[in-house]
Amino acid sequence: MKNISFWKDKRVLLTGHTGFKGSWLLFSLLQLGAKVFCYSLEPKGKKNLYVDLFKDNSKTFKFNEFIGDIRDEKSLSKWIGKAQPEIVFHLAAQPLVRESFENPIYTWDVNVKGSLVLLESLKQIKHKCSVVMVTTDKVYLNKEQKEGYDEKDQLGGVDPYSASKAASELAIASWRSSFCGFDHYQKTNLKIATARAGNVIGGGDWSKDRIIPDIINSLILEKTIPVRNPYSKRPWQHVLESLNGYLLLSEYLHSEVNPKCEAFNFGPNLQDSKTVEELIKEAVKTWPGNWKKSEDNNSYHESKLLNLKVNKSMKLLDWEPKWSFQKTVGNTVRWYKKVHQGTSPFDSCLDDLLNFQTS
């Protein structure tokens, strides 16, 4: 972060705080001294980072939360009225590709309508408010090209998840053009940008059908790791890299007189985009194990190649990726290994956060 003091006592609204990335962002914001108001569904799954970090540490962490659906405009609007946020991070979403094939209507509804309900609810805010709407690197029309995509490239999406996030980008841009400005029906106090991050990994992700949880669950059980798409290349990055980008983007929106309220990419250096096979080989250097290609007859369409250009974020936000591919994977697997051996998730997250801040 450029200015840690910026966050002291800032009123922040965070949606989706019970998810993997949301839990890490909540943890980071509390360490920075922000006053956080959270809105999300109940945490999912038997293993959940939010539960591990916050349910047994209620005396350590002080924040406000409301458990509700992002599409419930009445409840959300009431909560925003209470929070009166200066900064908003919108992470609430249906984030899984495979789930989007099984529940496509729900995915589109949550990811598109949920974003619009949030923006409509923010109309009541009278003071300056900076809004970071988190989407994904998968919003681009994927042409399987080696060079990365920049923020002006065409949006698209074959699978329902990618399409829903591309649609939310269009909906957010349309809402911003329609309701942010100087006409009588527009507002000048809302500064809205979208954030497109690469394939995020890190300790505490237990989501179904994601590669890191698949690796870790197999290693814990001492089983061979099943791999569906070993030759697919992805822009792997640690969760703290993208969150640092979101924090810097919100500072930029809040501090600049005429900020660019647009889309921003956050991803690793191009040379750190690696295949799934390379990811697994790097992971088992920290926690030894075996793997094999999975004959998964229920697999769905996935792009084989994806890279992002991050020149815009580097220039305007002074953001750049800190950790190499090797360090990203090593720190991620080490988090799980330490927790498996008895270290608390709180201590493991704090170690990673301090390590990242001093990198």
Side-chain angles (χ1 to χ4, degrees):
M1 283 70 68
K2 286 181 182 178
N3 181 12
I4 290 178
S5 63
F6 171 88
W7 293 97
K8 180 65 175 175
D9 294 328
K10 272 288 187 298
R11 297 178 73 87
V12 179
L13 173 67
L14 170 60
T15 73
H17 69 287
T18 59
F20 162 61
K21 195 184 290 187
S23 296
W24 268 102
L25 183 51
L26 175 57
F27 183 82
S28 301
L29 288 166
L30 293 174
Q31 297 297 326
L32 291 168
K35 292 183 177 179
V36 189
F37 293 78
C38 301
Y39 189 101
S40 183
L41 295 174
E42 290 280 2
K44 292 182 178 180
K46 294 180 180 179
K47 295 180 180 180
N48 183 278
L49 182 61
Y50 170 79
V51 173
D52 290 340
L53 284 178
F54 302 110
K55 286 302 184 183
D56 295 329
N57 292 292
S58 58
K59 293 182 179 180
T60 302
F61 295 107
K62 299 296 181 183
F63 61 93
N64 303 277
E65 71 173 343
F66 184 91
I67 299 299
D69 193 309
I70 194 66
R71 297 167 294 176
D72 183 349
E73 187 170 1
K74 183 178 179 180
S75 295
L76 181 58
S77 183
K78 185 176 180 180
W79 188 244
I80 288 173
K82 177 181 179 179
Q84 290 295 306
E86 301 166 88
I87 305 286
V88 176
F89 294 103
H90 176 50
L91 277 68
Q94 193 299 95
L96 303 175
V97 173
R98 182 169 290 214
E99 174 72 14
S100 77
F101 279 99
E102 296 171 357
N103 294 293
I105 301 301
Y106 173 76
T107 299
W108 270 300
D109 198 35
V110 170
N111 293 350
V112 181
K113 181 182 177 181
S115 297
L116 292 174
V117 168
L118 172 63
L119 293 176
E120 281 291 307
S121 299
L122 288 172
K123 281 182 175 179
Q124 66 183 283
I125 299 296
K126 305 299 183 184
H127 54 264
K128 186 175 183 179
C129 183
S130 301
V131 186
V132 175
M133 307 288 286
V134 175
T135 59
T136 176
D137 60 344
K138 296 176 180 64
V139 298
Y140 295 106
L141 179 63
N142 196 309
K143 301 175 183 178
E144 305 289 355
Q145 62 189 34
K146 291 183 179 180
E147 62 270 24
Y149 298 92
D150 69 27
E151 291 85 350
K152 293 182 180 179
D153 280 323
Q154 183 178 354
L155 301 181
V158 174
D159 60 90
Y161 168 72
S162 301
S164 73
K165 284 295 193 176
S168 69
E169 284 273 359
L170 294 172
I172 293 164
S174 172
W175 195 96
R176 182 175 55 214
S177 297
S178 298
F179 302 111
C180 292
F182 296 92
D183 285 326
H184 67 91
Y185 58 90
Q186 295 179 319
K187 298 183 71 66
T188 60
N189 62 311
L190 296 179
K191 306 298 180 183
I192 304 165
T194 56
R196 304 168 180 174
N199 281 57
V200 170
I201 62 176
D205 184 6
W206 298 106
S207 302
K208 185 180 178 182
D209 296 321
R210 279 187 181 160
I211 184 61
I212 289 295
D214 286 351
I215 292 172
I216 298 303
N217 286 325
S218 296
L219 291 173
I220 290 173
L221 297 173
E222 298 183 351
K223 292 184 176 181
T224 299
I225 302 165
V227 184
R228 290 189 298 274
N229 300 293
Y231 310 116
S232 295
K233 182 175 283 190
R234 294 287 184 271
W236 312 104
Q237 64 178 158
H238 196 273
V239 60
L240 290 174
E241 301 275 19
S242 60
L243 298 188
N244 188 38
Y246 303 163
L247 292 167
L248 286 172
L249 177 55
S250 63
E251 286 184 42
Y252 165 80
L253 293 172
H254 213 73
S255 303
E256 292 292 322
V257 176
N258 293 304
K260 291 185 179 295
C261 297
E262 301 170 350
F264 287 79
N265 283 344
F266 300 101
N269 295 313
L270 288 180
Q271 66 268 22
D272 282 331
S273 288
K274 304 290 185 180
T275 64
V276 173
E277 181 180 22
E278 289 173 303
L279 176 74
I280 293 172
K281 288 181 177 179
E282 193 62 38
V284 297
K285 291 179 183 178
T286 300
W287 192 340
N290 299 311
W291 68 278
K292 68 176 182 179
K293 189 177 186 305
S294 172
E295 301 300 328
D296 186 353
N297 295 323
N298 295 316
S299 60
Y300 296 99
H301 174 272
E302 287 190 34
S303 300
K304 292 181 172 58
L305 185 62
L306 180 60
N307 293 314
L308 295 181
K309 293 179 181 178
V310 295
N311 308 62
K312 181 177 178 180
S313 293
M314 294 175 73
K315 179 180 179 181
L316 293 180
L317 310 180
D318 196 24
W319 175 90
E320 62 180 351
K322 289 187 174 187
W323 285 351
S324 66
F325 171 75
Q326 291 75 18
K327 191 166 186 177
T328 293
V329 178
N331 284 342
T332 296
V333 176
R334 199 171 295 112
W335 187 99
Y336 289 98
K337 190 174 184 180
K338 287 192 300 183
V339 170
H340 182 62
Q341 293 172 343
T343 302
S344 72
F346 174 93
D347 288 336
S348 294
C349 285
L350 189 58
D351 285 347
D352 279 354
L353 184 59
L354 294 175
N355 185 8
F356 184 82
Q357 288 178 335
T358 56
S359 294

